[in-house]
């Protein structure tokens, strides 16, 4: 499994390796227990990696350079996600002056792109599902998502 094809994946990896914090980045997690073949088979290690907020900031500020070889729909998907992600870090003061309908529009555009790109697989992924189906109701119920952030915990280990 790779990003469209191995050539595009390698192109992206080569560009990522030139960025701070990404010099040893890979699209796979390393499995600690190499002796347990059964565990290795059960764990699909492709594309299981965690990006910190700093990683995403660096990645998104260079996204046009990094992802310029991807097809247009994938590039649009990344740009939509960048816009949606901004909303996740708004505090209550900013949310008061924003229209939630703008976020709903972004999520619907993102959902449409995901559907076009992933309809052949039959699923959209757990985290994307949460974003598409649950973020608006959560913001309506609790306002800013900042109190629910786990960034402090993630940075500590």
């Amino acid at each position: 499994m790779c990003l469209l094809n191995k050539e595009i994946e390698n192109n992206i990896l080569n560009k990522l390796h030139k960025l701070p914090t990404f010099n040893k980045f890979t699209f796979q997690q390393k499995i600690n227990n190499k002796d347990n073949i059964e565990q290795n088979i059960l764990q699909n290690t492709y594309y299981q990696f965690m990006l910190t907020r700093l990683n995403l900031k660096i990645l998104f500020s260079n996204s046009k350079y990094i992802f310029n070889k991807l097809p247009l729909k994938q590039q649009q998907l990344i740009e939509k996600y960048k816009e949606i992600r901004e909303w996740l870090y708004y505090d209550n003061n900013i949310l008061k002056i924003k229209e939630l309908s703008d976020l709903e529009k972004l999520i619907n555009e993102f959902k449409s792109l995901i559907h076009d790109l992933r309809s052949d697989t039959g699923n959209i992924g757990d985290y994307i599902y949460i974003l598409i189906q649950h973020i608006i109701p959560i913001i309506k119920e609790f306002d800013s998502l900042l109190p629910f952030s786990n960034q402090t915990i993630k940075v500590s280990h």
Side-chain angles (χ1 to χ4, degrees):
M1 177 193 259
C2 65
L3 296 172
L4 298 178
N5 64 52
K6 206 63 174 167
E7 181 182 341
I8 290 175
E9 183 175 293
N10 287 335
N11 179 279
I12 290 171
L13 267 178
N14 289 334
K15 291 175 182 177
L16 283 173
H17 289 158
K18 295 175 185 173
L19 299 176
T21 75
F22 285 95
N23 60 334
K24 294 182 180 177
F25 181 81
T26 176
F27 289 118
Q28 300 179 47
Q29 286 182 335
K30 298 214 181 329
I31 295 176
N32 294 330
N33 186 358
K34 292 181 182 177
D35 295 329
N36 190 339
I37 295 172
E38 183 178 346
Q39 180 182 359
N40 293 350
I41 292 169
L42 292 174
Q43 289 183 335
N44 177 359
T45 60
Y46 288 101
Y47 308 112
Q48 293 182 3
F49 48 87
M50 183 64 69
L51 298 175
T52 66
R53 190 171 182 186
L54 174 62
N55 292 141
L56 287 172
K57 183 178 180 180
I58 293 167
L59 184 66
F60 288 159
S61 64
N62 293 282
S63 63
K64 294 207 185 297
Y65 161 71
I66 294 166
F67 301 115
N68 65 350
K69 298 288 185 192
L70 288 176
L72 182 60
K73 279 193 178 186
Q74 271 116 344
Q75 291 181 43
Q76 291 170 335
L77 184 72
I78 291 166
E79 293 304 312
K80 288 290 173 210
Y81 179 71
K82 284 170 49 177
E83 291 179 61
I84 292 168
R85 190 165 165 75
E86 287 178 27
W87 279 81
L88 305 181
Y89 292 98
Y90 288 159
D91 63 23
N92 286 334
N93 294 327
I94 295 173
L95 283 175
K96 285 179 187 174
I97 60 174
K98 293 285 191 176
E99 294 291 331
L100 208 50
S101 60
D102 293 339
L103 177 58
E104 288 176 301
K105 181 180 181 229
L106 281 172
I107 288 175
N108 285 331
E109 291 168 356
F110 182 81
K111 182 180 177 180
S112 177
L113 287 165
I114 285 286
H115 182 271
D116 290 350
L117 295 169
R118 300 276 305 177
S119 61
D120 63 326
T121 67
N123 71 51
I124 60 169
D126 296 338
Y127 292 116
I128 293 172
Y129 169 80
I130 291 168
L131 175 69
I132 290 171
Q133 297 297 326
H134 299 295
I135 290 300
I136 297 290
I138 290 170
I139 290 174
K140 285 179 180 177
E141 177 78 21
F142 299 105
D143 297 322
S144 174
L145 298 176
L146 288 177
F148 304 103
S149 172
N150 65 354
Q151 291 297 323
T152 306
I153 294 166
K154 291 285 183 199
V155 170
S156 71
H157 70 287

